[in-house]
Amino acid sequence: MSFKDKNTDLNHTLSCHNCGATLQYEPGTFQLKCSYCGTINEIEQTNPDDIQALDYEAFIAGNSLQPENKIEIRVVQCRQCGAQTSLPDGITSELCAFCNSPLVVSTAKNEQLLRPHYILPFLLKAKEAEERLSNWMSALWFAPSTLIKNVKQIQRDHFVGMYLPHWAYDTETETSYDGQQGIHYWGTESYTTEENGKTVTRTRQVQRTRWYPVSGRVSCSFKDVLVLASNSLSRNVADKLEPWQLDKLQVFDERYISGFRSETYRIDAVAGLNIAKRKMEDTIISAIYNDIGGDEQQISDHESTYNHIKLKYNLLPIWISAYQFKNKVYQIAINATTGEVIGERPYSALKIIFAVLVVILIVLIIYLVAGG
Ligand SMILES: [Zn+2]
Ligand SMILES: [Zn+2]
């Protein structure tokens, strides 16, 4: 099996100074490599101090749309799932990496798009990704047999390196709340029971909770709350791919995309912030519970303000494939920095029913043997 590195040059010529061939980014490195003569070209790495988030308000006010913040990319939109991806040069027929339906390559056009701020290169080599995928496959319980055959086919033919658009938000939140603090205490309860054929009344100790009204404020600090800026990968799969090795983030450089595809964002920074707020909610709620203290907590009302919001527009790398099984689309994605495999998959109803029957049979046999 092998992962194909599709050639996307983003209208940017990256020629080998030795032989003139197009250079491709080499996963697992900070280098470009010539696939013909093997010449290596280093890409200078970003100093971590140069990774700075932008002010959110200034960004959405339109400062970002200046010509120097744009990039021209040849993209094709999938008519089935809406994904908009950069397309390799010279490709005449292609399947969408997200939904496996044919792309109408003749509709590809050059578009002026927002230049990504940062890019996380592929830290995982294709070979390492293949190993992770094999491990994942060997743990496919209750998968239909034809699926396993299909997935093996996918590994050979359709896995592509793709950069996914993500918004990353930083913010400091202030939340005021009203609620109740519950304190446990022991109380006496009377109950009736049967003793020597007579109904008698007895008492016992029971734990009760006394509630006190409370209110207060909590502050939380968030850094790099990630939101996938498209709907091509299911959000469930995208969230499970976290965490990413964001300490390896580089200032955006088109050379890292050479040989790979990238998806353009379809969810803007404002809509993305709303999704980020939902992701931050669990942390805020636990901070409130912690602040209330006591033995039990209830929140009746809470309201947050989000201060000093900053953002980054990042491209993050995955190996992706989609496959169809009985008219349904399933996606398999590998985080190309940690090797985490998140795959959607069907289950074989027959295999599950058979396994359940075997378990029932074993329990029945044990029962009969023990009972007899
Ligand atoms: Zn060369
Ligand atoms: Zn598609």
Side-chain angles (χ1 to χ4, degrees):
M1 47 185 168
S2 71
F3 287 76
K4 255 188 205 171
D5 297 358
K6 300 282 164 82
N7 181 21
T8 15
D9 73 3
L10 294 170
N11 298 325
H12 188 88
T13 322
L14 300 142
S15 352
C16 175
H17 58 75
N18 190 35
C19 75
T22 302
L23 295 169
Q24 295 207 338
Y25 165 62
E26 182 73 4
T29 70
F30 295 89
Q31 298 168 339
L32 291 170
K33 193 175 177 186
C34 176
S35 43
Y36 292 92
C37 73
T39 298
I40 300 281
N41 293 253
E42 294 286 339
I43 305 174
E44 55 291 351
Q45 286 186 52
T46 299
N47 180 339
D49 294 341
D50 292 340
I51 306 285
Q52 302 281 346
L54 276 71
D55 180 71
Y56 170 79
E57 297 297 337
F59 179 84
I60 58 166
N63 297 355
S64 58
L65 299 175
Q66 303 301 318
E68 67 270 21
N69 295 327
K70 288 193 162 184
I71 185 174
E72 190 174 82
I73 302 181
R74 182 170 170 254
V75 293
V76 66
Q77 185 163 358
C78 173
R79 290 185 176 181
Q80 186 67 32
C81 75
Q84 187 171 282
T85 54
S86 60
L87 194 72
D89 268 349
I91 293 281
T92 50
S93 75
E94 185 72 309
L95 293 176
C96 172
F98 296 103
C99 73
N100 210 33
S101 66
L103 293 172
V104 184
V105 176
S106 56
T107 62
K109 51 178 185 278
N110 286 351
E111 286 202 25
Q112 296 283 325
L113 297 163
L114 177 68
R115 186 181 172 83
H117 304 142
Y118 301 102
I119 185 164
L120 188 55
F122 281 72
L123 302 178
L124 203 71
K125 290 182 196 297
K127 201 101 210 101
E128 294 164 322
E130 284 167 20
E131 282 166 25
R132 302 300 180 110
L133 190 65
S134 296
N135 294 343
W136 180 78
M137 285 200 6
S138 61
L140 278 187
W141 298 101
F142 302 126
S145 312
T146 43
L147 168 73
I148 294 168
K149 221 177 92 205
N150 285 4
V151 171
K152 282 186 175 148
Q153 187 67 34
I154 289 162
Q155 282 181 295
R156 276 194 295 273
D157 298 341
H158 298 307
F159 249 97
V160 291
M162 175 80 72
Y163 286 100
L164 293 179
H166 279 76
W167 299 111
Y169 299 90
D170 300 346
T171 182
E172 314 283 326
T173 60
E174 283 276 341
T175 308
S176 54
Y177 68 85
D178 294 313
Q180 293 85 38
Q181 181 196 60
I183 299 294
H184 293 162
Y185 68 96
W186 291 96
T188 308
E189 178 186 79
S190 48
Y191 65 102
T192 57
T193 184
E194 292 278 322
E195 261 177 35
N196 304 323
K198 278 191 285 181
T199 304
V200 291
T201 303
R202 294 271 181 271
T203 62
R204 64 186 166 201
Q205 292 291 296
V206 288
Q207 191 187 329
R208 296 206 178 105
T209 306
R210 197 170 276 130
W211 290 98
Y212 302 93
V214 286
S215 61
R217 287 177 83 78
V218 292
S219 318
C220 297
S221 181
F222 294 91
K223 186 158 166 52
D224 288 323
V225 177
L226 288 173
V227 173
L228 174 62
S230 68
N231 293 314
S232 320
L233 195 65
S234 82
R235 200 156 292 282
N236 191 24
V237 171
D239 286 345
K240 283 186 194 156
L241 284 172
E242 290 188 46
W244 300 82
Q245 282 178 255
L246 294 176
D247 57 320
K248 300 286 195 315
L249 217 53
Q250 304 291 307
V251 169
F252 178 72
D253 188 321
E254 285 165 83
R255 288 177 289 178
Y256 285 116
I257 296 185
S258 181
F260 293 83
R261 294 196 229 181
S262 63
E263 193 195 6
T264 61
Y265 77 85
R266 311 288 288 165
I267 291 172
D268 67 22
V270 178
L273 180 60
N274 286 327
I275 298 170
K277 285 178 181 175
R278 289 201 291 274
K279 283 185 84 171
M280 290 185 256
E281 192 64 10
D282 282 353
T283 306
I284 293 172
I285 295 293
S286 345
I288 296 174
Y289 281 158
N290 207 32
D291 199 55
I292 292 176
D295 300 311
E296 285 182 56
Q297 303 81 26
Q298 283 177 354
I299 300 170
S300 36
D301 200 13
H302 75 291
E303 201 172 324
S304 300
T305 53
Y306 303 82
N307 306 311
H308 313 297
I309 306 173
K310 291 182 173 181
L311 94 172
K312 300 188 201 89
Y313 174 28
N314 295 337
L315 294 186
L316 306 181
I318 60 167
W319 294 104
I320 177 154
S321 187
Y323 61 95
Q324 248 148 326
F325 190 79
K326 292 189 176 165
N327 295 326
K328 211 170 163 274
V329 175
Y330 298 88
Q331 295 173 328
I332 303 175
I334 303 176
N335 178 325
T337 65
T338 61
E340 179 93 53
V341 182
I342 304 297
E344 296 178 315
R345 42 146 316 177
Y347 287 85
S348 161
L350 266 180
K351 286 189 185 179
I352 292 173
I353 289 169
F354 181 73
V356 169
L357 285 179
V358 167
V359 170
I360 290 173
L361 197 68
I362 291 170
V363 170
L364 205 65
I365 290 169
I366 292 171
Y367 177 79
L368 287 177
V369 169

